[in-house]
Every structure is written in C-alpha cells, then in structure tokens.
Amino acid sequence: MLRHKAFGLALAVALLVPTGGAALAAEPPPGGLPGVEVPKLDWTACHDGFQCATARVPLDYRRPRLGTIDLAVLRKPAADQSRRIGSLFVNPGGPGGSAVGTARSLAKTGPAELRARFDIIGFDPRGVADSRAVKCQDPKTYGAAWATASSRPAADSFARSVHSGREFVQACQRESGDLLPYIGTEYVARDMDLLRAAVGDPKLSYLGFSFGTYIGTVYANLFPQRTRALVLDGGYDPQHYANSPYAYDITQFDAIEATLHRFFAWCSATPAKCAFGNGNPAAAFTALQAALDAKPVNGANGATMTLEVVFALNGGKSTWVRMAENLVKAQQGTGPLVLPADENAEFFAANVSVECADRAFPRNMALLQARLAYAAREAPLAGPALAYAPPNYDHAHATACVQWPAEQRSRYAGPFHARGSSPILVVGTTGDPDTPYVDSVALSRTLANARLLTFDGEGHTGFYHSPCSKAAITAYLADLRLPARGATCSDDVTP
C-alpha cells in the first residue's frame, strides 16, 4: 500500500536530480523516497521452521501510483533468541539466483554462529524466481538459437549473434515488457531498505555473493547511514560494471581463460588424477569442441559444452578431478557437460534482463563487432563460444544490451564510494573465474570504508571454498571483527 499525500513537490524535485541517492536527505525515509509505505509482512509457517511472506513494494519508486510488485520473502528465526542480533539479508547473485533458496540453504548448513544469532532472510529480487520472474524466449526457442552457435568464430558469427540478440530482446519485450524498466538494481536496493524497516532492523546486516555484491554496493551508497555490517564476496567493480561494460566484461573472459589454463596445467602435471587429455588437455579440449560442433549430441554442441565447463570452473580445485572425468564422458557423448542449452532459458532471461537494465552499453554496432572480436582473440578457448552465442552469461550480454528496448528507470550510475557507511568487508578470490580478483580489489578501493580479504585459491567466492574466509566473514557479521589489513587466506584444497 502507498501513501500519495504530500508526495508531489518532493517527487518532482527527486526527478530533477540524477539517480543514485546523492540528492536525498541525510536521513531519507525507508526506501529512500517520501510517500512510500513500509510493507506489512504477514509471516506464515512454510516447513522446517521457516516463515514465508509476500512484500508489496512500488513497481516504480518515482511513480508510485503506477502500482506495485510482490516480492517473495523467506525467514528462519535466530536459533538463540537470547543472543539475537537482528536479521541477516542474503543474496546469491546471478543475477537470476533465488535469494529465498540461498536463505533456506544458509539457515540449514551455514555457520552455526550466524544461524544462532540472526534471523536469516532472503527475498527474490524483482524479476527473479518467485518475484514475478522475467520471461523471454521459451526453452525450445532458446535451445534452437544455441543450435546455430559454435565454439570457433566464422565469417557469419557476428551477424548470427546480432540476430540472436535481437530475437532474444524482442521476446523479452513481448513477454515482460511492462516489467523490464523496473528491474534494475537501484530499485532492488530500495526494496531491501523497505524490508529492513519491515522486519524492525535499524541498520542492515548483509551477505552478498557475486552479483549480490553489486546490490550491496548500491544499497551502501543509497543508505550509508543504515549499514551495520556488509560482506561483499566475489566483488563487482561497480564503475566498470555500470558505466564501462566492455572493460568489465573482458576481465571475466580473461579470468575464465586463465582458469582453464590452470586446470589444464594441473591435468598435465598430475596424469594419475586427471583422466582427460593424455598429457595435452588443451588440445583435447579444442578437439572436443570441434567434434561436438560437427556432430552435436542431444542438442549439445561445442558452444553449449563450453558454457557448461565455464559454470563447472566455479567449483574450484575440489571439483577438478570430477571435471576431468566429465570431459572424458563428453568425448563419449554422455555426462553433464553435454546438456541442451534450453535448460538454462529461465535463468538467462533474468540474468540478461537485469544486467541490460543496469548497464550503459554504447548503441554502436561497429564497436560491438570490434569488442566481440577482441574477446574471441583474447580468450580463444572459451571466448568465441560465448561472445558469439545467443545472450547468455554475465560477460556475454552485449548483443542483447546494445539492442535493449526498455527504458532503464531503475539503473544506478553512481557514485559508488558509500561515504559514511560502516566498514564493508570485501572478499576476493585470486583464482575466481566468475568475478575476477581484480574487480574485488577495485571495489575495495572504490568504497570509502572497505577492508579487503584475499583468498589465494580457486573457485567462485571465498565463503564457499575457504574455511578461513568463511570464519572471517562470520566474525565480522556476528561480532564486527574485521580481519587485519592485507589479510590473506591460503587454505585452498589439493585436487
């Protein structure tokens, strides 16, 4: 429900200034703009001690009369109420990952101290999962587009990729056009502030992974005085992400390529553990890509197999033995690396749409062609398969975003320093193939009050691959104890 009285002049002034909260009052109302009511959460039991609720929030914070959107929220109350600190909001990233699912998982298996002292809360961001998920191409259509992709560039690669991007965004506009302008991260951060107020917390405690670090960064800039303890694990370089997208994307192409080469080096050095490649895994990998391009298996070709490998690399060293075994299975036409791309259609609808709502891609087709060619050259093992494919994962959105049809009403363009915030703990993993370490470093330097913890290891995020990092994160969230400046965790596993 919304209040509309006494909103007019304040809203008119808000519309005259850039987004990003710079012109808001020192103590803005919940959600950051006047006239917006805190939603009432009617919690109901939803199995295993969890509670579920629906939060009704403005669809457009600057035009609240436009209507509302319902957000799915899940909570697990703190196990030790006598030591309860408050609520811990969590987000897994993606974009497109369900925070409701992450909260459920963390509340079951996360650090005991967090489960004891916090109500663990997750809400699916607008446009994601159970909060009115964005819809684009249906699985059959999306899979058919991938059938035209390949692992190596060809003369028609650019034209084909532009066509795939156009078909994708037209489907998004057709299926979700009324939602697309409002799914950017500024409004997600404002939603989180309303929910913070709704659960009665004066300040926010937050654990965000991967893209969830960008949500936390935007929140800290809109509401720095309302931050208690924010942990951003697997950081996004916010300035590049939002405003220099090609510069941001190439670091991810580079990180994936470097991780592949480290995996291949391990394979070559430990043939007793690595079942793939017969001593030359890089050559075996390119041969496998070519074989699947020539003769797809169950709808999987060299490009789709490469995408599955990119996802698998996030698992870190503990999964390398299994990945080598799965590559052997792929050579035999079986296993989890030869899955049809249509299984990812729902996730990529949100993943692409949210980032296109957030980012400022130049609408210049010649520049797009040059940047895709550069990515393919810079990362020859994985780059062509993703850059010239239908719109897919984070660094492969350009063909959609340069043709994006929707207004970006909820895009946040900065500033990103979050002056006045409580200390923010940034965690970066040196071998992270998904959110490169350089981006966590950049985020820690961009924020005015940040501390960087480095995990010297492999895999996506420190919390899930380093007990040392998990312990440091827990200590900060629960007791506000930051790791020492320059601290490094080195507890990576041996495959």
Coordinates of all heavy atoms in Angstrom, one line a residue, residues 279-364:
G279 N 47.9 -36.1 -21.5 CA 49.1 -35.2 -21.4 C 49.0 -33.9 -22.2 O 49.8 -33.0 -22.0
N280 N 47.9 -33.7 -23.0 CA 47.8 -32.5 -23.7 C 46.3 -32.1 -23.7 O 45.6 -32.1 -24.6 CB 48.2 -32.6 -25.2 CG 48.3 -31.3 -25.9 OD1 47.9 -30.3 -25.4 ND2 49.0 -31.3 -27.0
P281 N 45.8 -31.7 -22.5 CA 44.4 -31.4 -22.3 C 43.9 -30.2 -23.1 O 42.7 -30.2 -23.5 CB 44.3 -31.2 -20.8 CG 45.7 -30.8 -20.4 CD 46.6 -31.5 -21.2
A282 N 44.7 -29.2 -23.3 CA 44.3 -28.1 -24.1 C 43.9 -28.5 -25.5 O 42.9 -28.1 -26.1 CB 45.3 -27.0 -24.1
A283 N 44.8 -29.3 -26.2 CA 44.5 -29.8 -27.5 C 43.3 -30.7 -27.5 O 42.4 -30.7 -28.4 CB 45.7 -30.6 -28.1
A284 N 43.1 -31.5 -26.5 CA 42.0 -32.4 -26.4 C 40.7 -31.6 -26.2 O 39.6 -32.0 -26.7 CB 42.2 -33.4 -25.2
F285 N 40.8 -30.5 -25.5 CA 39.6 -29.7 -25.3 C 39.1 -29.1 -26.6 O 37.9 -29.1 -26.9 CB 39.9 -28.6 -24.3 CG 38.7 -27.7 -23.9 CD1 37.7 -28.2 -23.1 CD2 38.7 -26.4 -24.4 CE1 36.6 -27.4 -22.8 CE2 37.6 -25.6 -24.0 CZ 36.6 -26.1 -23.3
T286 N 40.0 -28.5 -27.4 CA 39.7 -27.9 -28.6 C 39.2 -28.9 -29.6 O 38.3 -28.7 -30.4 CB 40.8 -27.1 -29.2 OG1 42.0 -27.9 -29.4 CG2 41.2 -25.9 -28.3
A287 N 39.8 -30.1 -29.6 CA 39.3 -31.2 -30.4 C 37.9 -31.6 -30.0 O 37.0 -31.9 -30.9 CB 40.2 -32.4 -30.3
L288 N 37.6 -31.6 -28.7 CA 36.2 -32.0 -28.3 C 35.2 -30.9 -28.7 O 34.1 -31.2 -29.2 CB 36.2 -32.1 -26.8 CG 34.9 -32.4 -26.1 CD1 34.2 -33.6 -26.6 CD2 35.1 -32.5 -24.6
Q289 N 35.6 -29.7 -28.6 CA 34.7 -28.6 -29.1 C 34.4 -28.8 -30.6 O 33.2 -28.7 -31.0 CB 35.4 -27.2 -28.9 CG 35.5 -26.8 -27.4 CD 36.3 -25.5 -27.3 OE1 37.4 -25.3 -27.9 NE2 35.7 -24.5 -26.6
A290 N 35.4 -29.0 -31.4 CA 35.2 -29.2 -32.8 C 34.4 -30.4 -33.1 O 33.5 -30.4 -34.0 CB 36.6 -29.3 -33.5
A291 N 34.6 -31.5 -32.4 CA 33.8 -32.7 -32.6 C 32.3 -32.5 -32.3 O 31.4 -32.9 -33.1 CB 34.3 -33.8 -31.8
L292 N 32.0 -31.8 -31.3 CA 30.6 -31.5 -30.9 C 30.0 -30.5 -31.8 O 28.8 -30.5 -32.1 CB 30.5 -31.0 -29.5 CG 30.8 -32.1 -28.4 CD1 30.9 -31.5 -27.0 CD2 29.6 -33.1 -28.4
D293 N 30.8 -29.5 -32.3 CA 30.3 -28.6 -33.4 C 29.9 -29.4 -34.6 O 28.8 -29.1 -35.2 CB 31.3 -27.5 -33.7 CG 31.4 -26.4 -32.7 OD1 30.4 -26.3 -31.9 OD2 32.4 -25.8 -32.6
A294 N 30.7 -30.3 -35.0 CA 30.5 -31.1 -36.2 C 29.3 -32.1 -36.0 O 28.5 -32.3 -37.0 CB 31.7 -31.9 -36.6
K295 N 29.2 -32.6 -34.8 CA 28.2 -33.6 -34.6 C 27.6 -33.4 -33.2 O 28.1 -34.1 -32.2 CB 28.7 -35.0 -34.8 CG 27.7 -36.1 -34.7 CD 28.3 -37.5 -35.0 CE 27.2 -38.6 -35.0 NZ 27.8 -39.9 -35.2
P296 N 26.6 -32.6 -33.0 CA 26.0 -32.3 -31.7 C 25.5 -33.6 -31.1 O 25.1 -34.5 -31.8 CB 24.9 -31.3 -32.0 CG 25.4 -30.6 -33.3 CD 26.0 -31.7 -34.1
V297 N 25.4 -33.6 -29.8 CA 24.9 -34.7 -29.0 C 23.7 -34.3 -28.1 O 23.9 -33.4 -27.3 CB 26.0 -35.4 -28.1 CG1 25.4 -36.5 -27.3 CG2 27.1 -35.9 -29.0
N298 N 22.6 -34.8 -28.3 CA 21.4 -34.4 -27.5 C 21.2 -32.9 -27.5 O 20.8 -32.4 -26.4 CB 21.6 -35.0 -26.1 CG 21.6 -36.5 -26.1 OD1 21.0 -37.1 -26.8 ND2 22.5 -37.0 -25.2
G299 N 21.4 -32.2 -28.6 CA 21.2 -30.8 -28.6 C 22.4 -30.0 -28.1 O 22.4 -28.8 -28.1
A300 N 23.5 -30.7 -27.7 CA 24.7 -30.0 -27.2 C 25.8 -30.0 -28.3 O 26.1 -31.0 -28.9 CB 25.2 -30.8 -26.0
N301 N 26.3 -28.8 -28.5 CA 27.4 -28.6 -29.4 C 28.7 -28.1 -28.7 O 28.7 -28.0 -27.5 CB 27.0 -27.7 -30.6 CG 26.5 -26.4 -30.1 OD1 26.9 -25.9 -29.1 ND2 25.6 -25.8 -30.9
G302 N 29.7 -27.7 -29.4 CA 30.9 -27.2 -28.8 C 30.7 -26.0 -28.0 O 31.3 -25.8 -26.9
A303 N 29.7 -25.1 -28.4 CA 29.5 -23.9 -27.6 C 28.7 -24.2 -26.3 O 29.1 -23.6 -25.3 CB 28.6 -22.9 -28.5
T304 N 27.7 -25.0 -26.4 CA 27.0 -25.3 -25.1 C 27.9 -26.1 -24.2 O 27.8 -25.9 -23.0 CB 25.7 -26.1 -25.4 OG1 26.1 -27.4 -26.0 CG2 24.8 -25.4 -26.4
M305 N 28.8 -27.0 -24.7 CA 29.7 -27.7 -23.8 C 30.6 -26.7 -23.1 O 30.9 -26.8 -21.9 CB 30.5 -28.7 -24.6 CG 31.3 -29.6 -23.7 SD 33.0 -29.0 -23.4 CE 33.7 -28.9 -25.0
T306 N 31.1 -25.7 -23.9 CA 32.0 -24.7 -23.3 C 31.3 -23.9 -22.2 O 31.9 -23.7 -21.1 CB 32.5 -23.7 -24.4 OG1 33.1 -24.5 -25.4 CG2 33.5 -22.7 -23.8
L307 N 30.0 -23.6 -22.4 CA 29.3 -22.9 -21.3 C 29.2 -23.7 -20.1 O 29.3 -23.2 -19.0 CB 27.9 -22.5 -21.9 CG 26.9 -21.9 -20.9 CD1 27.5 -20.5 -20.5 CD2 25.5 -21.7 -21.5
E308 N 28.9 -25.0 -20.2 CA 28.8 -25.9 -19.0 C 30.2 -26.0 -18.3 O 30.2 -26.0 -17.1 CB 28.4 -27.3 -19.4 CG 26.9 -27.3 -20.0 CD 25.9 -26.9 -19.0 OE1 26.2 -27.0 -17.7 OE2 24.8 -26.4 -19.4
V309 N 31.3 -26.0 -19.1 CA 32.6 -26.0 -18.4 C 32.8 -24.7 -17.7 O 33.4 -24.7 -16.6 CB 33.7 -26.2 -19.5 CG1 35.1 -25.9 -19.0 CG2 33.6 -27.7 -20.1
V310 N 32.4 -23.6 -18.2 CA 32.6 -22.3 -17.6 C 31.8 -22.3 -16.2 O 32.4 -21.9 -15.2 CB 32.0 -21.2 -18.5 CG1 31.9 -19.9 -17.7 CG2 33.0 -20.9 -19.6
F311 N 30.6 -22.9 -16.2 CA 29.9 -23.0 -14.9 C 30.7 -23.9 -14.0 O 30.8 -23.7 -12.8 CB 28.5 -23.5 -15.1 CG 27.6 -22.5 -15.7 CD1 26.7 -22.8 -16.7 CD2 27.5 -21.2 -15.1 CE1 25.8 -21.8 -17.2 CE2 26.6 -20.2 -15.6 CZ 25.8 -20.6 -16.6
A312 N 31.2 -25.0 -14.5 CA 31.9 -26.0 -13.6 C 33.1 -25.5 -13.0 O 33.5 -25.9 -11.9 CB 32.2 -27.3 -14.5
L313 N 33.8 -24.6 -13.7 CA 35.0 -24.0 -13.1 C 34.8 -23.3 -11.8 O 35.7 -23.1 -11.0 CB 35.7 -23.0 -14.1 CG 36.3 -23.7 -15.4 CD1 36.7 -22.6 -16.4 CD2 37.5 -24.6 -15.1
N314 N 33.6 -22.8 -11.6 CA 33.3 -22.1 -10.3 C 33.4 -23.0 -9.1 O 33.6 -22.5 -8.0 CB 31.8 -21.6 -10.4 CG 31.6 -20.4 -11.3 OD1 32.6 -19.7 -11.7 ND2 30.4 -20.1 -11.6
G315 N 33.4 -24.3 -9.3 CA 33.5 -25.2 -8.2 C 34.9 -25.3 -7.5 O 35.0 -25.9 -6.5
G316 N 35.9 -24.7 -8.2 CA 37.3 -24.7 -7.6 C 38.0 -26.1 -7.7 O 37.5 -27.0 -8.3
K317 N 39.1 -26.1 -7.0 CA 40.0 -27.3 -7.2 C 39.4 -28.6 -6.8 O 39.7 -29.7 -7.3 CB 41.3 -27.1 -6.4 CG 42.3 -26.2 -7.1 CD 43.6 -26.1 -6.3 CE 44.7 -25.3 -6.9 NZ 45.9 -25.2 -6.1
S318 N 38.5 -28.5 -5.8 CA 37.9 -29.8 -5.3 C 37.1 -30.5 -6.3 O 36.8 -31.7 -6.2 CB 37.0 -29.5 -4.1 OG 35.9 -28.7 -4.4
T319 N 36.7 -29.8 -7.4 CA 35.9 -30.4 -8.5 C 36.7 -30.7 -9.7 O 36.2 -31.2 -10.7 CB 34.8 -29.4 -8.9 OG1 35.3 -28.2 -9.5 CG2 33.9 -29.0 -7.7
W320 N 38.1 -30.5 -9.7 CA 38.8 -30.7 -10.9 C 38.9 -32.1 -11.4 O 38.9 -32.4 -12.6 CB 40.2 -30.1 -10.8 CG 40.3 -28.6 -10.9 CD1 39.2 -27.8 -11.0 CD2 41.4 -27.8 -10.9 NE1 39.6 -26.5 -11.1 CE2 41.0 -26.4 -11.0 CE3 42.8 -28.0 -10.8 CZ2 41.9 -25.3 -11.1 CZ3 43.7 -26.9 -10.8 CH2 43.2 -25.6 -10.9
V321 N 39.1 -33.1 -10.4 CA 39.1 -34.5 -10.8 C 37.8 -34.9 -11.5 O 37.8 -35.5 -12.5 CB 39.4 -35.4 -9.5 CG1 39.2 -36.8 -9.9 CG2 40.8 -35.1 -9.0
R322 N 36.7 -34.4 -10.9 CA 35.4 -34.8 -11.5 C 35.2 -34.1 -12.8 O 34.6 -34.7 -13.8 CB 34.3 -34.4 -10.5 CG 32.9 -34.7 -11.0 CD 31.8 -34.6 -9.9 NE 31.5 -33.2 -9.6 CZ 31.9 -32.6 -8.5 NH1 32.5 -33.3 -7.5 NH2 31.6 -31.4 -8.2
M323 N 35.7 -32.9 -13.0 CA 35.5 -32.2 -14.3 C 36.3 -32.9 -15.4 O 35.9 -33.1 -16.5 CB 36.0 -30.7 -14.2 CG 35.6 -30.0 -15.5 SD 35.6 -28.2 -15.3 CE 37.4 -27.8 -15.3
A324 N 37.5 -33.4 -15.0 CA 38.3 -34.2 -16.0 C 37.5 -35.4 -16.4 O 37.4 -35.8 -17.6 CB 39.6 -34.6 -15.4
E325 N 36.9 -36.1 -15.4 CA 36.1 -37.3 -15.7 C 34.9 -36.9 -16.6 O 34.5 -37.7 -17.5 CB 35.6 -37.9 -14.4 CG 36.8 -38.5 -13.6 CD 36.3 -38.9 -12.2 OE1 35.2 -38.5 -11.8 OE2 37.1 -39.6 -11.5
N326 N 34.3 -35.8 -16.3 CA 33.1 -35.4 -17.1 C 33.5 -35.0 -18.6 O 32.7 -35.1 -19.5 CB 32.4 -34.2 -16.5 CG 31.6 -34.7 -15.2 OD1 31.3 -35.8 -15.1 ND2 31.4 -33.8 -14.3
L327 N 34.7 -34.5 -18.7 CA 35.2 -34.2 -20.1 C 35.4 -35.5 -20.9 O 35.1 -35.5 -22.1 CB 36.5 -33.4 -20.0 CG 36.3 -31.9 -19.7 CD1 37.7 -31.2 -19.3 CD2 35.7 -31.1 -20.9
V328 N 35.9 -36.5 -20.2 CA 36.0 -37.8 -20.9 C 34.6 -38.3 -21.2 O 34.4 -38.8 -22.4 CB 36.7 -38.8 -19.9 CG1 36.7 -40.2 -20.5 CG2 38.2 -38.4 -19.7
K329 N 33.7 -38.2 -20.3 CA 32.3 -38.6 -20.7 C 31.8 -37.8 -21.9 O 31.1 -38.3 -22.7 CB 31.4 -38.4 -19.5 CG 31.7 -39.3 -18.3 CD 30.7 -39.0 -17.2 CE 30.9 -39.9 -16.0 NZ 30.1 -39.6 -14.8
A330 N 32.1 -36.5 -21.9 CA 31.7 -35.7 -23.1 C 32.3 -36.2 -24.4 O 31.6 -36.2 -25.4 CB 32.0 -34.2 -22.9
Q331 N 33.5 -36.7 -24.3 CA 34.1 -37.3 -25.5 C 33.3 -38.5 -26.0 O 33.3 -38.8 -27.2 CB 35.6 -37.7 -25.2 CG 36.5 -36.5 -25.1 CD 37.9 -36.9 -24.6 OE1 38.1 -37.8 -23.8 NE2 38.9 -36.3 -25.3
Q332 N 32.7 -39.1 -25.0 CA 31.9 -40.3 -25.3 C 30.4 -40.0 -25.6 O 29.6 -40.9 -25.8 CB 32.0 -41.3 -24.1 CG 33.4 -41.8 -23.9 CD 33.6 -42.4 -22.5 OE1 32.7 -42.4 -21.7 NE2 34.8 -43.0 -22.3
G333 N 30.1 -38.7 -25.5 CA 28.7 -38.3 -25.8 C 27.7 -38.4 -24.7 O 26.5 -38.4 -24.9
T334 N 28.3 -38.4 -23.4 CA 27.4 -38.5 -22.3 C 27.9 -37.5 -21.2 O 28.9 -36.8 -21.4 CB 27.5 -40.0 -21.7 OG1 28.8 -40.2 -21.2 CG2 27.1 -41.0 -22.7
G335 N 27.1 -37.5 -20.1 CA 27.5 -36.7 -18.9 C 27.0 -35.3 -18.9 O 26.3 -34.9 -19.8
P336 N 27.3 -34.6 -17.8 CA 26.6 -33.3 -17.5 C 27.2 -32.2 -18.4 O 26.6 -31.1 -18.3 CB 26.9 -33.1 -16.0 CG 28.2 -33.9 -15.8 CD 28.1 -35.1 -16.7
L337 N 28.2 -32.4 -19.1 CA 28.7 -31.3 -20.0 C 28.1 -31.2 -21.3 O 28.3 -30.3 -22.1 CB 30.2 -31.4 -20.1 CG 31.0 -31.3 -18.8 CD1 32.5 -31.4 -19.1 CD2 30.7 -30.1 -18.0
V338 N 27.3 -32.3 -21.7 CA 26.6 -32.3 -23.0 C 25.1 -32.2 -22.7 O 24.3 -33.2 -23.0 CB 27.0 -33.5 -23.8 CG1 28.4 -33.3 -24.4 CG2 26.9 -34.8 -23.0
L339 N 24.7 -31.1 -22.1 CA 23.3 -30.8 -21.9 C 22.8 -29.8 -22.9 O 23.5 -28.9 -23.3 CB 23.1 -30.3 -20.5 CG 23.5 -31.2 -19.3 CD1 23.4 -30.5 -18.0 CD2 22.7 -32.5 -19.3
P340 N 21.5 -29.9 -23.3 CA 21.0 -28.9 -24.2 C 20.8 -27.5 -23.5 O 20.5 -27.4 -22.3 CB 19.6 -29.4 -24.6 CG 19.2 -30.4 -23.5 CD 20.5 -31.0 -23.0
A341 N 21.1 -26.5 -24.3 CA 21.0 -25.1 -23.7 C 19.7 -24.7 -23.2 O 19.5 -23.8 -22.4 CB 21.6 -24.1 -24.7
D342 N 18.6 -25.4 -23.7 CA 17.3 -24.9 -23.3 C 17.0 -25.1 -21.8 O 16.1 -24.4 -21.3 CB 16.2 -25.7 -24.1 CG 16.3 -27.2 -23.9 OD1 17.0 -27.7 -23.1 OD2 15.6 -27.9 -24.7
E343 N 17.8 -25.8 -21.1 CA 17.7 -26.0 -19.6 C 18.0 -24.7 -18.9 O 17.6 -24.5 -17.8 CB 18.5 -27.1 -19.1 CG 18.1 -28.5 -19.6 CD 18.8 -29.6 -18.9 OE1 19.6 -29.3 -18.0 OE2 18.5 -30.8 -19.2
N344 N 18.7 -23.8 -19.6 CA 19.1 -22.5 -18.9 C 18.3 -21.3 -19.3 O 18.5 -20.2 -18.9 CB 20.6 -22.2 -19.3 CG 21.6 -23.2 -18.8 OD1 21.5 -23.6 -17.6 ND2 22.5 -23.7 -19.7
A345 N 17.2 -21.6 -20.1 CA 16.4 -20.4 -20.6 C 15.8 -19.5 -19.5 O 15.9 -18.3 -19.6 CB 15.3 -21.0 -21.5
E346 N 15.3 -20.1 -18.5 CA 14.6 -19.3 -17.5 C 15.7 -18.5 -16.7 O 15.4 -17.3 -16.4 CB 13.9 -20.2 -16.5 CG 13.1 -19.4 -15.4 CD 12.3 -20.4 -14.5 OE1 12.0 -21.5 -14.9 OE2 12.0 -19.9 -13.4
F347 N 16.8 -19.1 -16.3 CA 17.8 -18.3 -15.6 C 18.4 -17.2 -16.5 O 18.5 -16.1 -16.0 CB 19.0 -19.3 -15.2 CG 20.2 -18.6 -14.6 CD1 20.2 -18.1 -13.3 CD2 21.3 -18.3 -15.4 CE1 21.2 -17.4 -12.8 CE2 22.4 -17.7 -14.9 CZ 22.4 -17.2 -13.6
F348 N 18.7 -17.5 -17.7 CA 19.3 -16.4 -18.6 C 18.3 -15.3 -18.9 O 18.7 -14.2 -19.2 CB 19.9 -17.0 -19.8 CG 21.2 -17.7 -19.6 CD1 21.4 -19.0 -20.2 CD2 22.1 -17.2 -18.8 CE1 22.6 -19.7 -20.0 CE2 23.3 -17.9 -18.6 CZ 23.6 -19.1 -19.2
A349 N 17.0 -15.6 -18.9 CA 16.0 -14.5 -19.1 C 16.3 -13.4 -18.0 O 16.3 -12.2 -18.3 CB 14.6 -15.0 -19.0
A350 N 16.4 -13.8 -16.7 CA 16.6 -12.8 -15.7 C 18.1 -12.3 -15.7 O 18.3 -11.1 -15.6 CB 16.3 -13.4 -14.3
N351 N 19.0 -13.2 -15.9 CA 20.4 -12.8 -15.9 C 20.7 -11.7 -16.9 O 21.4 -10.7 -16.6 CB 21.3 -14.1 -16.2 CG 22.8 -13.8 -16.1 OD1 23.4 -13.6 -17.1 ND2 23.3 -13.8 -14.9
V352 N 20.2 -11.9 -18.2 CA 20.5 -10.9 -19.2 C 19.6 -9.7 -19.0 O 20.1 -8.5 -19.0 CB 20.1 -11.5 -20.6 CG1 20.3 -10.4 -21.7 CG2 21.0 -12.7 -20.9
S353 N 18.4 -9.8 -18.6 CA 17.5 -8.7 -18.5 C 17.9 -7.7 -17.4 O 17.9 -6.5 -17.6 CB 16.0 -9.1 -18.3 OG 15.6 -9.9 -19.3
V354 N 18.3 -8.3 -16.2 CA 18.7 -7.4 -15.1 C 20.0 -6.6 -15.5 O 20.1 -5.4 -15.3 CB 18.9 -8.2 -13.9 CG1 19.6 -7.4 -12.8 CG2 17.6 -8.8 -13.3
E355 N 20.9 -7.3 -16.1 CA 22.1 -6.6 -16.5 C 21.9 -5.5 -17.6 O 22.5 -4.5 -17.6 CB 23.2 -7.5 -16.8 CG 23.7 -8.4 -15.7 CD 25.2 -8.8 -15.7 OE1 25.8 -8.5 -16.7 OE2 25.7 -9.3 -14.7
C356 N 21.0 -5.8 -18.5 CA 20.7 -4.8 -19.5 C 20.0 -3.6 -18.9 O 20.1 -2.5 -19.4 CB 19.9 -5.4 -20.7 SG 20.8 -6.6 -21.7
A357 N 19.2 -3.9 -17.9 CA 18.6 -2.8 -17.2 C 19.6 -1.9 -16.4 O 19.3 -0.7 -16.1 CB 17.5 -3.3 -16.2
D358 N 20.7 -2.5 -16.0 CA 21.7 -1.8 -15.2 C 22.8 -1.1 -15.9 O 23.4 -0.2 -15.4 CB 22.4 -2.9 -14.3 CG 21.7 -3.2 -13.0 OD1 20.8 -2.4 -12.6 OD2 22.1 -4.2 -12.3
R359 N 23.1 -1.6 -17.1 CA 24.4 -1.2 -17.7 C 24.3 -0.3 -18.9 O 23.3 -0.4 -19.6 CB 25.2 -2.5 -18.1 CG 25.3 -3.4 -16.9 CD 26.0 -4.7 -17.3 NE 27.4 -4.5 -17.5 CZ 28.2 -5.5 -17.9 NH1 27.7 -6.6 -18.4 NH2 29.5 -5.2 -18.0
A360 N 25.3 0.6 -19.2 CA 25.2 1.5 -20.3 C 26.1 1.1 -21.4 O 27.2 1.5 -21.6 CB 25.7 2.9 -19.8
F361 N 25.6 0.2 -22.2 CA 26.3 -0.3 -23.4 C 26.1 0.8 -24.5 O 24.9 1.1 -24.8 CB 25.7 -1.6 -23.9 CG 26.3 -2.8 -23.2 CD1 25.8 -3.3 -22.1 CD2 27.4 -3.5 -23.8 CE1 26.4 -4.4 -21.4 CE2 28.0 -4.6 -23.2 CZ 27.5 -5.0 -22.0
P362 N 27.2 1.2 -25.2 CA 27.0 2.1 -26.3 C 26.2 1.4 -27.4 O 26.5 0.3 -27.8 CB 28.5 2.4 -26.7 CG 29.3 2.0 -25.6 CD 28.6 0.9 -24.9
R363 N 25.3 2.1 -28.0 CA 24.5 1.6 -29.1 C 25.2 1.8 -30.4 O 24.8 2.6 -31.3 CB 23.1 2.1 -29.1 CG 22.3 1.7 -27.8 CD 20.9 2.1 -27.8 NE 20.3 1.6 -26.6 CZ 19.3 0.6 -26.5 NH1 18.9 0.1 -27.7 NH2 18.8 0.3 -25.4
N364 N 26.3 1.1 -30.5 CA 27.2 1.3 -31.7 C 27.6 -0.1 -32.2 O 28.3 -0.8 -31.5 CB 28.4 2.1 -31.3 CG 29.4 2.3 -32.4 OD1 29.7 1.4 -33.2 ND2 29.9 3.5 -32.4

